[in-house]
Amino acid sequence: MNLKPKPGILDITPYVGGRAEAPDGAPAVKLSSNESALGPSPVAIAAYEEACRYLSFYPEGSARLLRDALGELHHLDPDRIVCGNGSDELLSLLSRIYASDGDEVVFTEHAFLVYRIAALASGAVPVAVPETDLRADVEKILSSVTPRTRLVFLANPNNPTGSCLSGAEVRRLHAGLPPSVLLVMDAAYAEYVQRRDYEAGDALVIQFDNVVMTRTFSKIYGLAGLRVGWAFCPASVADALNRVRGPFNVSVPAQRAAVAALRDREHVARSIAHNETWKRRLIESIRASGLRVDDSEGNFVLVHFPRGAHDAKAADAFLASRGFILRPVANYGLPHCMRLTIGSEDANRGVAAAIADFMRPAR
Ligand SMILES: Cc1ncc(COP(=O)(O)O)c(C=O)c1O
């Protein structure tokens, strides 16, 4: 075999999305991918359906209407917004643009898995920095930066831990980075965050020329299946992204549905309220079952299982047999945990009861 991928490619463990079915193939309630509990706005669905009239045409390549709508909503310069085929695409492109052979890409121990893949795919060395109590630690991140560091990825809030740094902590992190390092603030779950000291990253992007904020339509807007994300960038970063991205990377239905979704603020407010109510109830109920579950700023919670008969593996099998699919997170370095997405009211009641049943014999 003469064809050889460049170094790093075969070190990648392919990303595997959350399962949607029980092991026997039976339909199940999918609570494994942090998708929206309420789904997309009916207005977005109508725009998607309407888009079928335009399927023979290429999309407008820069997603101009979508960038304009995002700019208007978030008070940002649309020329500095780049849309992507999910924010995953943008995260990977940023690594490809700014890191190459032997450069270092820094992220934290239990961070979103795409960062490692993006680093390896660009030939760079992934550097996973230890966390403190399942939380990114600014001092540890800064002490892992070397002259070879090109990017720092920070998921804020982080998936799968749900932990979140304050704006002040993020600013401390930025202040300690050399200007030659790009800080990528992945704010996929920003809309769910309730703490008042949170900063998604747009203000930092405006203030500094080495910060990018990425966002997604896959979570609060319920459009994960369409694949739409966006980045707000310094002008030079937007220019570089626009050179390397696919010329038509966001499809016609995706652009149209996303624009419509942005307009339905009531649906967004309902989704946030649902998440808050049910996250609190689920946390209370799971704690009452005797398990540790961490506070979370996202639309998911991390549940810790004990060693032994009631471990995470047994829980996964039991819950799947009851029709609930959670996400095992051993590949995030958390073999004793499972991540649970906040679902519909029925799903939440059902999974809470199933977890209580699973734990009952142990208590
Ligand atoms: C922290 C984080 N960033 C980015 C993404 C990817 O989102 P997208 O669907 O926009 O590619 C996810 C998806 O789960 C995520 O958890």
Side-chain angles (χ1 to χ4, degrees), residues 99-171:
S100 56
D101 301 351
D103 289 337
E104 291 167 5
V105 172
V106 169
F107 46 85
T108 67
E109 192 181 1
H110 305 296
F112 184 45
L113 286 180
V114 162
Y115 309 151
R116 171 180 293 279
I117 295 175
L120 287 168
S122 52
V125 178
V127 177
V129 180
E131 298 183 2
T132 301
D133 300 331
L134 300 184
R135 206 167 170 274
D137 182 316
V138 170
E139 273 63 44
K140 286 182 187 162
I141 296 174
L142 289 176
S143 64
S144 73
V145 170
T146 76
R148 303 271 354 215
T149 307
R150 295 288 170 271
L151 285 102
V152 173
F153 282 115
L154 179 73
N156 204 38
N158 184 48
N159 164 21
T161 54
S163 59
C164 187
L165 297 190
S166 67
E169 287 172 298
V170 170
R171 284 176 181 273

Side-chain angles (χ1 to χ4, degrees), residues 86-88 91 112 115 155 157 159 186 188-189 216 218-219 227-229:
S87 52
D88 280 352
L91 297 168
F112 184 45
Y115 309 151
N159 164 21
D186 175 350
Y189 301 95
T216 184
S218 301
K219 307 300 173 187
R227 314 302 304 125
V228 197

Side-chain angles (χ1 to χ4, degrees), residues 306-342:
R307 315 292 193 268
H310 290 83
D311 67 5
K313 221 169 152 202
D316 192 18
F318 179 88
L319 295 171
S321 77
R322 294 279 291 262
F324 297 99
I325 309 297
L326 279 63
R327 182 68 152 262
V329 282
N331 53 347
Y332 282 87
L334 297 164
H336 305 295
C337 298
M338 298 256 281
R339 193 191 67 201
L340 167 64
T341 303
I342 312 304

Side-chain angles (χ1 to χ4, degrees), residues 38-80:
L38 302 190
S41 152
V43 183
I45 295 173
Y48 175 82
E49 285 170 354
E50 162 84 4
C52 71
R53 292 170 48 200
Y54 306 99
L55 295 187
S56 63
F57 299 107
Y58 282 100
E60 193 282 306
S62 81
R64 189 176 54 78
L65 294 180
L66 177 54
R67 289 185 299 107
D68 285 348
L70 284 165
E72 195 183 324
L73 177 68
H74 292 280
H75 310 291
L76 302 174
D77 177 359
D79 289 343
R80 292 171 55 180

Side-chain angles (χ1 to χ4, degrees), residues 73 98 118 243 256 288 346:
L73 177 68
Y98 292 102
R243 288 169 196 261
R256 287 176 165 259
D346 280 355

Side-chain angles (χ1 to χ4, degrees), residues 135 138 154 156 164-175 183 185 193 195-201 203-204 208:
R135 206 167 170 274
V138 170
L154 179 73
N156 204 38
C164 187
L165 297 190
S166 67
E169 287 172 298
V170 170
R171 284 176 181 273
R172 204 166 77 237
L173 170 62
H174 174 265
L183 173 61
M185 295 190 51
V193 178
R195 38 189 296 187
R196 285 166 180 272
D197 60 0
Y198 175 69
E199 282 197 58
L204 276 104
F208 304 108

